[in-house]
Amino acid sequence: MGEEHRDTRQHDRDRIAHRREDNDCSVYIGKRPTMNYVMAAMVILNKNEDCTIKARGRAISHAVDVAEILINKFYPSAFYKDIKISTEHLQNDDHKVSNVSSMEIVLGPRKPQEPEQN
Amino acid sequence: MGEEHRDTRQHDRDRIAHRREDNDCSVYIGKRPTMNYVMAAMVILNKNEDCTIKARGRAISHAVDVAEILINKFYPSAFYKDIKISTEHLQNDDHKVSNVSSMEIVLGPRKPQEPEQN
């Protein structure tokens, strides 16, 4: 019984570690205050890594707010590396499939040096 | 009085014509049903012109829905030419400035021919 319990906890830890590794550079937008997500994204950008802001459905406009606040106020050196929109097919509890729009905004920490223009 | 009235109407017509000319290829997303905007975008794409879907604030997620429904269901040859997000500074009646996120999705009517891959 004790052994089994320890196994489960180990399994949980592995699972969480695995998930963290996967999504280390992503921020998933939900219903928390905007500044929480802005801070989370700044932590990633400060490591000099690209940060991906992901959102689904109604949270998409919230994701755009987060990215704009970040670039205009807190991290002016960041830039939009890529913006992707797509549809995800989610199965709910009744085994019905519903289509939900999703968005990924990839932010780079430093703008690439532009060639001088005259 | 009659003269003045005619002037006003002429002015209105000019203004509307001017606005139409500017925004002929844009669809502004508001609170109407999604399919209205899908149809409006299809009319523009059918003329073989690029269509720009524009939205502000909470309507941004609605704009993404419109674009995804259009590409996945009604106009599969269309493609994302460009996606831009920015902040607009709007002045309300109290002369206070509020920042609102905005989005522009540019759709092209036909995917460019890709070189064959082996």
Side-chain angles (χ1 to χ4, degrees), chain A residues 14-74:
Chain A
D14 287 351
R15 205 167 46 115
I16 291 167
H18 182 67
R19 206 168 56 188
R20 277 221 189 107
E21 210 174 293
D22 271 358
N23 304 340
D24 221 357
C25 301
S26 299
V27 175
Y28 288 88
I29 306 298
K31 294 186 176 177
R32 296 199 202 162
T34 307
M35 284 309 297
N36 292 26
Y37 301 114
V38 174
M39 290 299 169
M42 274 179 72
V43 169
I44 296 168
L45 291 172
N46 274 330
K47 289 188 223 159
N48 223 13
E49 281 177 18
D50 290 351
C51 168
T52 308
I53 298 172
K54 296 182 181 182
R56 269 192 203 138
R58 296 299 126 205
I60 288 176
S61 26
H62 199 178
V64 174
D65 291 344
V66 169
E68 278 293 309
I69 290 173
L70 195 68
I71 287 190
N72 292 331
K73 276 204 184 160
F74 294 97

Side-chain angles (χ1 to χ4, degrees), chain A residues 1-16:
Chain A
M1 178 74 181
E3 191 66 28
E4 200 177 291
H5 187 63
R6 221 182 311 155
D7 273 3
T8 314
R9 281 198 304 188
Q10 182 58 44
H11 175 74
D12 275 356
R13 267 201 299 275
D14 287 351
R15 205 167 46 115
I16 291 167

Side-chain angles (χ1 to χ4, degrees), chain B residues 39-113:
Chain B
M39 289 300 168
M42 274 177 73
V43 169
I44 296 169
L45 290 172
N46 274 330
K47 288 188 224 157
N48 223 13
E49 282 177 18
D50 291 351
C51 168
T52 307
I53 298 172
K54 297 182 181 182
R56 270 191 202 138
R58 297 297 126 205
I60 288 176
S61 26
H62 199 176
V64 174
D65 291 345
V66 169
E68 279 292 309
I69 289 173
L70 194 67
I71 286 190
N72 291 331
K73 275 204 185 160
F74 295 96
Y75 215 98
S77 74
F79 70 105
Y80 292 115
K81 218 167 183 178
D82 196 10
I83 303 173
K84 279 175 274 189
I85 62 187
S86 57
T87 300
E88 290 183 21
H89 310 281
L90 301 180
Q91 201 171 31
N92 62 13
D93 298 338
D94 319 342
H95 299 282
K96 274 191 179 174
V97 174
S98 53
N99 299 327
V100 183
S101 301
S102 73
M103 187 179 203
E104 286 187 27
I105 304 172
V106 184
L107 295 170
R110 302 255 169 280
K111 287 188 190 79
Q113 293 295 322

